[in-house]
Amino acid sequence: MSHEAPLLAIDEVTKDFPGVRALDKVSLEVNRGELMALLGENGAGKSTLVKILSGALTRDAGTIRINGHELPKKFGPVDARKLGIAIIYQELSLLPHLSAAENIFLGREPLASGVLRTIDYRRMHEAAREKLAELKADHIPVTAQVHTLSLPEKQMVEIAKALAVNCRVVIMDEPTTTLTREETQRLFSVVQALKQQNVTIIYISHRLDEVLEIADRATVLRDGKVVGTVEIQNTNKAEIISMMTGKQLRHLEVTHDPAANGTELLRVEHVSNDKLIQDVSFTVHQNEVLGIAGLVGAGRTELARIIFGADKMAAGKVFIAGKEVSIHSPKQALSVGLGYLSENRKEEGLNLGLKLEDNIVLSDMSAVSTAGVIHRKRVRDIASNFVERLDIKGSPETIAANLSGGNQQKVAISKWLHVGCKVLLFDEPTRGIDVVAKTEVLSIIRDFATEGRGAIVISSEVDDLLDICDRILIMSKGQIVQVLQRDEISKERVLEYVTRGHQ
């Protein structure tokens, strides 16, 4: 790195809220043209620091300098823009019914000469095209209303908006959460182009593999304090997670060959529906985690819903422990030991208005009720057991909506563990949760399988599948196009078959 003065210097910044110190003497430096990853669990202080840099919050103590000049203690979002700080939030701040050009130059529109001083649209459109061309996004029509653009195109407009005011610091908050792998790689190309223009980037993400791919350094926050800053080339995922949690990362090992023991729990034969799914067959063995990979629209969720009885099966058979079963509803699936953790936990996996304990027993009330009367102590005891067993950060009486995403997911899993499923389908189990919670959820899935049961994991996160799966099925256009055994599994091979099947 260069020995010149840092572009952004934060020194002992502190911020208190009633009853909690959100930031405790936070100090860090970021150089020109550097990508600094800002990492930490939910509640570590990342959002508070970003809001202070954006002018949305005022720091209680400490100094912030840009290019050697100290920022005033109180400044607002407009001042932050003038100072050269731009923030690209996960929820983009564009006006949908204005054009791309109007969004890029909002509040700074070039004016035509003359008495009326109207907006010079020709100049604005030309300038907008120039900014988008810098991002290799000149395919975006500058006159198109933003609501007609794809998400990656909107993101490019947001970045062009930042460049239009010559921002020197761009903060990206979870920019790839809703992007495909191809879209993510295009964004990374833009990030590299920004660095070449000496733009400084602060990058917030729960996806550590991305951070290890594109960041120069990473600063880790925990409980409002800086734990440390590491050079990316000298660190790894396990070390970063250890810094974030203060604990050693549990190493997930897959060492057995589940197919060798011959104990079959689930067999699906020639399953189809009247829409996408065509002639799908596979098995799940005792102690096995079976992964299902594929691009969006490959039919992974549709297949899971058919097996679970949530959607209609047009043809095919399902066998549990070698015996053919008829499943036409989720209730019937539960009766034969099948469970399904939906990818949409907030709407289909949990009742957010209920307590943690009530969510856990919701799928099987027989163990906690007699003649329609619920035994609250029994409910509390069952919930307390899962809170301890799965390390859920909350009490049995906590309302589900007040839990973090990772803890909500643990409650959703507890619901199926309470039922006693022999085979559990996990649909995008790590979506929308931080990296530490992700590791914990993957451990829960692995443990579930190694207790003599079987798990099916549908995930867009290839690294998650690599961490815990014994076999991986590749789906495309409603069919299984490849089966990878454990000794054949690699990230490159999974991605090769996923993209090949889509062509």
Side-chain angles (χ1 to χ4, degrees):
M1 300 305 301
S2 172
H3 293 290
E4 64 180 317
L7 178 69
L8 174 65
I10 298 169
D11 186 32
E12 297 200 338
V13 165
T14 298
K15 180 64 181 179
D16 290 317
F17 294 109
V20 63
R21 173 155 286 189
L23 294 177
D24 189 358
K25 296 183 178 180
V26 167
S27 299
L28 62 94
E29 295 180 344
V30 195
N31 300 301
R32 287 176 178 79
E34 179 182 27
L35 192 152
M36 170 72 82
L38 186 62
L39 306 175
E41 294 187 76
N42 290 337
K46 304 187 302 295
S47 296
T48 302
L49 182 59
V50 167
K51 287 176 181 177
I52 288 173
L53 290 173
S54 73
L57 289 175
T58 301
R59 62 190 185 274
D60 295 328
T63 60
I64 300 173
R65 291 182 174 85
I66 289 187
N67 209 23
H69 300 289
E70 185 173 338
L71 274 57
K73 190 170 184 180
K74 290 186 178 183
F75 62 93
V78 174
D79 301 312
R81 283 273 179 169
K82 291 178 180 177
L83 292 164
I85 302 172
I87 300 185
I88 299 169
Y89 291 103
Q90 187 176 340
E91 302 294 333
L92 301 178
S93 58
L94 301 173
L95 298 179
H97 294 289
L98 292 184
S99 70
E102 288 169 325
N103 270 281
I104 291 170
F105 290 99
L106 188 65
R108 297 168 290 101
E109 299 85 352
L111 301 178
S113 57
V115 179
L116 296 178
R117 302 287 287 168
T118 56
I119 296 173
D120 189 334
Y121 281 97
R122 184 184 61 79
R123 269 206 302 147
M124 185 168 70
H125 292 161
E126 286 179 0
R129 289 189 189 98
E130 289 177 6
K131 291 300 175 186
L132 289 170
E134 290 178 25
L135 302 174
K136 298 179 182 178
D138 44 359
H139 64 283
I140 299 175
V142 297
T143 56
Q145 290 189 341
V146 161
H147 72 87
T148 67
L149 303 178
S150 68
L151 181 61
E153 288 173 336
K154 291 175 184 175
Q155 211 164 41
M156 291 302 106
V157 172
E158 188 83 75
I159 296 172
K161 183 178 176 181
L163 294 181
V165 290
N166 298 315
C167 282
R168 292 174 287 183
V169 179
V170 175
I171 302 171
M172 295 185 173
D173 186 4
E174 298 287 353
T176 64
T177 300
T178 55
L179 300 185
T180 66
R181 180 171 176 80
E182 292 75 16
E183 292 164 349
T184 295
Q185 289 302 315
R186 284 198 291 272
L187 177 65
F188 287 176
S189 296
V190 169
V191 166
Q192 293 299 334
L194 292 176
K195 289 175 61 179
Q196 290 171 7
Q197 297 175 38
N198 256 351
V199 174
T200 295
I201 300 168
I202 297 176
Y203 191 91
I204 300 171
S205 179
H206 290 312
R207 296 180 171 181
L208 292 190
D209 294 292
E210 292 181 1
V211 169
L212 292 170
E213 181 178 346
I214 65 165
D216 298 303
R217 293 188 298 152
T219 292
V220 178
L221 297 179
R222 185 170 76 235
D223 298 328
K225 298 179 181 179
V226 172
V227 177
T229 298
V230 292
E231 299 282 344
I232 289 298
Q233 62 183 5
N234 298 328
T235 191
N236 54 48
K237 187 191 295 188
E239 181 185 12
I240 291 173
I241 293 178
S242 179
M243 292 173 69
M244 291 168 64
T245 63
K247 299 180 288 187
Q248 289 297 315
L249 172 67
R250 174 183 169 186
H251 181 61
L252 296 169
E253 289 191 18
V254 183
T255 57
H256 62 280
D257 179 5
N261 65 28
T263 308
E264 179 188 284
L265 293 179
L266 171 69
R267 177 164 26 111
V268 173
E269 288 187 353
H270 308 296
V271 164
S272 303
N273 67 359
D274 292 328
K275 298 176 182 177
L276 178 63
I277 304 303
Q278 306 170 48
D279 195 28
V280 171
S281 300
F282 65 88
T283 57
V284 179
H285 296 83
Q286 203 170 41
N287 302 321
E288 179 177 24
V289 178
L290 177 70
I292 303 183
L295 299 178
V296 174
R300 299 167 302 168
T301 294
E302 290 85 348
L303 176 62
R305 289 178 60 86
I306 290 170
I307 295 169
F308 187 60
D311 291 334
K312 185 179 178 181
M313 181 191 302
K317 298 178 180 179
V318 176
F319 297 82
I320 299 290
K323 180 181 178 182
E324 184 176 355
V325 294
S326 178
I327 301 175
H328 299 291
S329 69
K331 185 176 180 180
Q332 288 179 322
L334 282 171
S335 70
V336 297
L338 279 179
Y340 173 53
L341 186 80
S342 169
E343 63 178 331
N344 187 351
R345 66 174 175 269
K346 290 184 182 293
E347 293 182 16
E348 297 177 355
L350 296 172
N351 186 322
L352 295 177
L354 293 181
K355 296 176 182 178
L356 180 160
E357 59 186 9
D358 294 326
N359 270 284
I360 288 175
V361 301
L362 205 55
S363 290
D364 181 13
M365 301 292 290
S366 61
V368 296
S369 62
T370 304
V373 178
I374 297 174
H375 303 286
R376 297 307 309 180
K377 184 180 184 304
R378 209 174 296 171
V379 171
R380 182 70 44 83
D381 289 344
I382 289 171
S384 297
N385 175 53
F386 282 113
V387 166
E388 180 178 356
R389 180 176 160 191
L390 273 59
D391 193 22
I392 300 172
K393 303 297 190 297
S395 73
E397 292 186 285
T398 303
I399 300 299
N402 295 332
L403 296 169
S404 69
N407 286 299
Q408 286 180 354
Q409 191 70 311
K410 289 180 186 179
V411 173
I413 293 172
S414 299
K415 182 175 73 173
W416 295 112
L417 297 182
H418 166 64
V419 172
C421 299
K422 296 296 289 182
V423 178
L424 185 47
L425 296 103
F426 296 84
D427 196 349
E428 298 289 0
T430 64
R431 176 177 288 170
I433 62 179
D434 68 44
V435 65
V436 176
K438 176 184 291 192
T439 302
E440 293 172 338
V441 166
L442 294 178
S443 295
I444 292 167
I445 296 172
R446 187 72 246 174
D447 289 343
F448 172 83
T450 53
E451 292 171 355
R453 293 172 288 199
I456 301 172
V457 179
I458 297 167
S459 181
S460 302
E461 301 283 348
V462 174
D463 291 296
D464 291 356
L465 296 178
L466 265 59
D467 281 345
I468 63 169
C469 290
D470 301 284
R471 289 184 298 142
I472 297 179
L473 309 180
I474 312 293
M475 285 195 71
S476 177
K477 301 175 183 177
Q479 296 178 306
I480 294 174
V481 295
Q482 187 68 35
V483 180
L484 296 177
Q485 304 299 327
R486 183 67 210 175
D487 58 0
E488 300 174 313
I489 294 174
S490 68
K491 187 170 186 175
E492 293 72 22
R493 188 167 287 179
V494 171
L495 292 173
E496 175 192 349
Y497 286 117
V498 162
T499 54
R500 182 194 296 178
H502 190 67
Q503 293 171 355

